[in-house]
Amino acid sequence: MEKRAIFNSRLFPYFFLAPQLLISFAFFFWPALLAIWQSFQKEDAFGLSSEFVWFENYIEIFKDSNYISAIFVTIIFSISVTLICLFFALFLAALANRIKAGKIFYQTLIICPYAVAPAIAGVLWFFLFSPSIGYLSNILHNLGFQWNPSLNGNHALILIILSASWKQISYNFLFYLASLQSIPKSLLEAASIDGASPVRRFIDIVIPLISPTTFFLFIMNMIYTFFDTFGIIYTTTHGGPGYSTTNLVYKVYVDGIVNLNLGSSAAQSVILMIFVSFITILHFRFVEKKVHY
């Protein structure tokens, strides 16, 4: 039987909701409204004067070749990190689900990178692949591969993809492990009795049953690559060389903080806000209702 709270006054529910509403307005809605308002204005570098210019900032950013480059970098970066994280996290979770001895130690070891801050993860991978002192870069040089992310844009992009993937695999691993452990053993045993090989059981039973988790992680990884990888890019490549590793979030920082073009930076923030709203609607629309097996 469902329990319901009964208040003597109609104002009591609003009284209890007030702190949450005030915090949401102060830290989410008010800054968002300011960003929208600022995206329609042009300000001088010191913020002393401003002019309402309607959609001029939006038109200018789509004429900017560096912004178009940032869109392509963001797409390549997001898809690469998402696919790497999903594949390796599922592989590691499948192994962790089968081992008997040392399971806790193995799981803890895989989860550790998730506790590392993005900026620290970027510094770790920067030193590992540093052309002069990096251990892994020395191995590549000994193999005859001239690795230099400071001068080669492709190398720099690979570096931030590896760093961001290493940081996020642990998050995916936790969800996949929980999902694998929730699969009824009777289904796998029945398929085994019917003669299905381990690979066939994994493809025909396990992957369909964990598809809701995969879709959820796909959305979360895309959000992660868009917004939580700023620290990694800042500490490894600073968006360079050139604009080869500048994604959309880092472009907002460069235009707003470095170039002091506040109107353009606000317009880019609004575009990212629209994208996040779209991803959120997609998440609640399909994860909660459509993906079932």
Side-chain angles (χ1 to χ4, degrees), residues 39-57:
S39 69
F40 294 108
Q41 292 188 320
K42 270 190 180 299
E43 293 187 15
D44 65 282
F46 302 100
L48 300 177
S49 62
S50 61
E51 178 187 1
F52 193 81
V53 293
W54 290 100
F55 292 95
E56 186 176 324
N57 289 324

Side-chain angles (χ1 to χ4, degrees), residues 132-190:
S132 56
I133 60 173
Y135 178 74
L136 295 179
S137 64
N138 285 334
I139 294 176
L140 292 175
H141 287 161
N142 292 334
L143 295 174
F145 186 79
Q146 298 301 317
W147 171 267
N148 194 343
S150 301
L151 300 176
N152 191 308
N154 293 329
H155 295 177
L157 187 58
I158 292 172
L159 176 59
I160 62 170
I161 288 173
L162 292 176
S163 179
S165 301
W166 175 80
K167 172 79 175 64
Q168 186 68 0
I169 284 176
S170 306
Y171 178 85
N172 291 258
F173 169 80
L174 286 173
F175 283 90
Y176 269 138
L177 183 61
S179 184
L180 291 173
Q181 290 176 345
S182 66
I183 295 176
K185 302 296 182 186
S186 58
L187 289 176
L188 300 174
E189 291 172 356

Side-chain angles (χ1 to χ4, degrees), residues 89-284:
L90 180 58
F91 177 73
L92 294 172
L95 293 179
N97 194 39
R98 293 176 65 87
I99 62 175
K100 303 298 181 183
K103 179 183 291 187
I104 301 298
F105 175 77
Y106 177 73
Q107 294 174 3
T108 305
L109 202 63
I110 296 176
I111 295 170
C112 281
Y114 189 61
V116 179
I120 303 300
V123 171
L124 289 174
W125 283 83
F126 172 79
F127 281 111
L128 281 174
F129 280 99
S130 172
S132 56
I133 60 173
Y135 178 74
L136 295 179
S137 64
N138 285 334
I139 294 176
L140 292 175
H141 287 161
N142 292 334
L143 295 174
F145 186 79
Q146 298 301 317
W147 171 267
N148 194 343
S150 301
L151 300 176
N152 191 308
N154 293 329
H155 295 177
L157 187 58
I158 292 172
L159 176 59
I160 62 170
I161 288 173
L162 292 176
S163 179
S165 301
W166 175 80
K167 172 79 175 64
Q168 186 68 0
I169 284 176
S170 306
Y171 178 85
N172 291 258
F173 169 80
L174 286 173
F175 283 90
Y176 269 138
L177 183 61
S179 184
L180 291 173
Q181 290 176 345
S182 66
I183 295 176
K185 302 296 182 186
S186 58
L187 289 176
L188 300 174
E189 291 172 356
S192 179
I193 293 172
D194 289 340
S197 65
V199 176
R200 179 57 59 187
R201 293 198 298 271
F202 190 80
I203 295 175
D204 291 343
I205 297 176
V206 174
I207 290 180
L209 287 175
I210 63 173
S211 62
T213 303
T214 301
F215 187 77
F216 167 77
L217 290 175
F218 179 83
I219 298 295
M220 298 307 295
N221 287 334
M222 292 296 287
I223 294 175
Y224 161 74
T225 54
F226 267 72
F227 299 102
D228 291 342
T229 53
F230 172 82
I232 292 174
I233 297 174
Y234 184 80
T235 54
T236 51
T237 63
H238 286 280
Y243 280 85
S244 59
T245 56
T246 299
N247 64 358
L248 291 175
V249 170
Y250 199 82
K251 186 73 167 53
V252 171
Y253 162 76
V254 171
D255 285 348
I257 303 300
V258 179
N259 299 331
L260 296 179
N261 189 347
L262 301 180
S264 175
S265 180
Q268 295 173 43
S269 301
V270 172
I271 292 173
L272 284 173
M273 195 189 317
I274 293 171
F275 176 77
V276 171
S277 302
F278 172 74
I279 290 290
T280 305
I281 293 171
L282 195 69
H283 172 260
F284 283 107

Side-chain angles (χ1 to χ4, degrees), residues 4 22 29 34 71 73 82 91 98 150 201:
R4 302 185 61 182
L22 286 174
F29 295 112
L34 286 179
I71 292 176
V73 169
T82 299
F91 177 73
R98 293 176 65 87
S150 301
R201 293 198 298 271

